[in-house]
Amino acid sequence: MPNEDIEINTICADLESSQFTLHACGNDDIKPDEKSAPRRLPKIKIFGTGGTIASKGASSSNTAGYRVDLTIQQLLQAVPDISGICDIDYEQLCNVDSKEINESVLLKIYAGVSSALQTFDGIVITHGTDTLAETTFFIESTIDSGDVPIVFVGSMRPSTSVSADGPMNLYQAICIAADRQSRGRGVLVSLNDQISAGYYITKTNANTLDSFNVRQGYLGNFVNNEIHYYYPPVKPMVCHKFKLQLNLDKSLISQTTFPTVHIVYAHQSISPELIELVSQHCEGMVIATLGAGSLPAIVNDKVLELPIPVVYSKRSMDGMIPKANLPKPKSKESFNIIASGYLNPEKSRILLQLCLFEKFTVEEIRDVFSGVYGG
Ligand SMILES: NC(=O)C[C@H](N)C(=O)O
């Protein structure tokens, strides 16, 4: 469902005249003698949030133990000349390792993106890779960006390392955001020459440059200044769009809080006491279950007694939780367990949190998760 309170007002509202590199903005309004004037370049907003891409290590061979140190302005100085590709404007939203990204930072990013959508043709966000997939999932779930691409980018090597990947990743992200082929694709991730859907991407390797994986397939590739998309513009068909009624005023957004949802990781001998204890500190819970929804019977019995919604996700990287694998409800009315479908525990946590923020009933939460073949 589109976010009706966001006024999407790209530079070129009319699709025919809005092609980034071929047509100048508002061609119809240009007087005949001005038609030979240079074409307007797309306007790209770049937000810096930190991460390894903004980090410095102790030596050029260090690829761990570094610290976040560079501003977005400094990062842009290492990028090849983009003056012929787009006009940029940049802003530092925060400068942290992505382990520090929490709801209040997410809302800052949400507010920044919402306001940039009014005046920019594309948005780029630098972000640490560890929790990048959670932020992209949140933004895709809460913002309908219309035609404007929102491209997230990070790196796996600090800026000081030999063969640092940050400058090339950032350059590619800017080119992707400025390219007319990216219009209508929503939240994208540009890393290691691959373009992916922010909704589906997952970090699957803690160390290598090829750290992200998308079982649903990469959307495209970047080679030698060429962007090759494999599909026409597409957005994830299963994404539930939340229309958050938020006041984007800086002071009010910093006061906004989201309901607490914790994740419990299952293992042999997992104790029902742990589940009980965690439930006392949250309004919703996600369990990374064994296999496709398996938990010991005494743990299932404990979950069924809890007064909060509990989403069953999985430890396994791939696959899904079929509803048929959930424990049997004592009564339909009191049934508090929801299958996550294809969503991993951290994305399930964000989806449950958004549902609870919207004060959805368990039945409504079930409907939202059924979109990802859970429920
Ligand atoms: N490669 C990275 O960006 C990892 C870093 N720890 C972060 O998420 O901020």
Side-chain angles (χ1 to χ4, degrees):
M1 196 195 296
N3 233 351
E4 280 156 20
D5 57 351
I6 292 172
E7 189 197 345
I8 296 161
N9 183 14
T10 57
I11 304 299
C12 312
D14 157 9
L15 191 72
E16 270 310 295
S17 63
S18 66
Q19 309 304 307
F20 283 148
T21 48
L22 298 183
H23 301 275
C25 167
N27 245 351
D28 292 348
D29 303 335
I30 298 175
K31 296 182 193 89
D33 55 330
E34 289 172 350
K35 285 216 165 159
S36 54
R39 302 290 188 209
R40 183 187 68 79
L41 291 174
K43 285 177 62 170
I44 304 300
K45 178 80 182 196
I46 306 175
F47 291 111
T49 74
T52 298
I53 193 167
S55 296
K56 277 182 175 171
S59 80
S60 62
S61 57
N62 261 172
T63 55
Y66 42 78
R67 63 176 204 290
V68 177
D69 203 29
L70 294 175
T71 62
I72 186 65
Q73 185 179 10
Q74 290 168 314
L75 287 189
L76 286 165
Q77 281 159 11
V79 165
D81 183 21
I82 45 169
S83 59
I85 297 168
C86 56
D87 289 330
I88 59 163
D89 182 40
Y90 53 86
E91 185 178 336
Q92 193 80 51
L93 289 177
C94 60
N95 214 9
V96 295
D97 187 291
S98 73
K99 67 188 174 195
E100 306 295 349
I101 303 252
N102 53 23
E103 283 89 38
S104 101
V105 183
L106 279 185
L107 286 173
K108 245 190 203 178
I109 298 173
Y110 171 90
V113 168
S114 300
S115 102
L117 284 175
Q118 314 301 320
T119 41
F120 289 87
D121 301 299
I123 299 170
V124 171
I125 304 168
T126 60
H127 196 294
T129 58
D130 290 346
T131 68
L132 183 146
E134 283 157 82
T135 303
T136 55
F137 183 84
F138 178 87
I139 295 295
E140 183 69 88
S141 300
T142 55
I143 288 184
D144 190 329
S145 62
D147 271 352
V148 182
I150 304 171
V151 187
F152 280 78
V153 61
S155 80
M156 290 302 286
R157 291 185 182 149
S159 68
T160 41
S161 131
V162 179
S163 303
D165 51 334
M168 185 51 126
N169 286 351
L170 180 53
Y171 172 70
Q172 294 186 355
I174 295 168
C175 294
I176 290 164
D179 195 286
R180 51 181 285 199
Q181 300 179 81
S182 304
R183 294 175 67 106
R185 294 181 186 270
V187 179
L188 301 172
V189 176
S190 155
L191 269 162
N192 202 35
D193 303 338
Q194 311 284 6
I195 310 166
S196 313
Y199 186 84
Y200 286 120
I201 201 160
T202 312
K203 185 168 182 176
T204 54
N205 192 301
N207 316 104
T208 62
L209 298 187
D210 186 19
S211 56
F212 280 80
N213 220 303
V214 201
R215 285 293 193 239
Q216 289 77 5
Y218 294 113
L219 300 179
N221 204 12
F222 192 109
V223 183
N224 192 30
N225 284 311
E226 288 177 12
I227 295 168
H228 305 148
Y229 278 110
Y230 309 140
Y231 312 104
V234 67
K235 287 184 182 165
M237 64 182 288
V238 296
C239 178
H240 183 94
K241 289 278 187 193
F242 292 83
K243 189 178 164 195
L244 302 181
Q245 301 291 342
L246 295 176
N247 186 327
L248 299 182
D249 181 86
K250 274 197 181 116
S251 59
L252 290 173
I253 205 131
S254 64
Q255 286 165 24
T256 308
T257 53
F258 278 99
T260 303
V261 175
H262 287 315
I263 300 174
V264 176
Y265 194 93
H267 49 84
Q268 287 184 347
S269 313
I270 178 175
S271 82
E273 288 76 28
L274 175 73
I275 300 285
E276 167 115 57
L277 186 68
V278 173
S279 75
Q280 290 159 10
H281 299 272
C282 57
E283 288 143 81
M285 191 190 298
V286 174
I287 305 182
T289 67
L290 315 169
S294 274
L295 287 174
I298 47 166
V299 174
N300 278 332
D301 289 346
K302 174 55 72 187
V303 173
L304 285 165
E305 286 169 11
L306 298 178
I308 57 170
V310 180
V311 173
Y312 278 25
S313 183
K314 69 231 145 58
R315 302 193 312 185
S316 307
M317 185 64 75
D318 291 318
M320 55 96 65
I321 308 290
K323 281 180 278 187
N325 280 357
L326 297 184
K328 297 285 158 281
K330 288 190 178 132
S331 77
K332 203 169 169 262
E333 294 69 43
S334 66
F335 193 42
N336 62 334
I337 304 178
I338 298 142
S340 73
Y342 282 90
L343 291 184
N344 65 20
E346 59 270 29
K347 289 181 183 173
S348 302
R349 187 188 78 90
I350 289 175
L351 193 58
L352 180 55
Q353 213 173 18
L354 286 166
C355 289
L356 293 172
F357 182 78
E358 296 288 76
K359 304 208 171 354
F360 286 181
T361 63
V362 172
E363 264 330 294
E364 288 168 328
I365 298 173
R366 210 180 290 295
D367 276 352
V368 170
F369 276 87
S370 72
V372 283
Y373 311 104

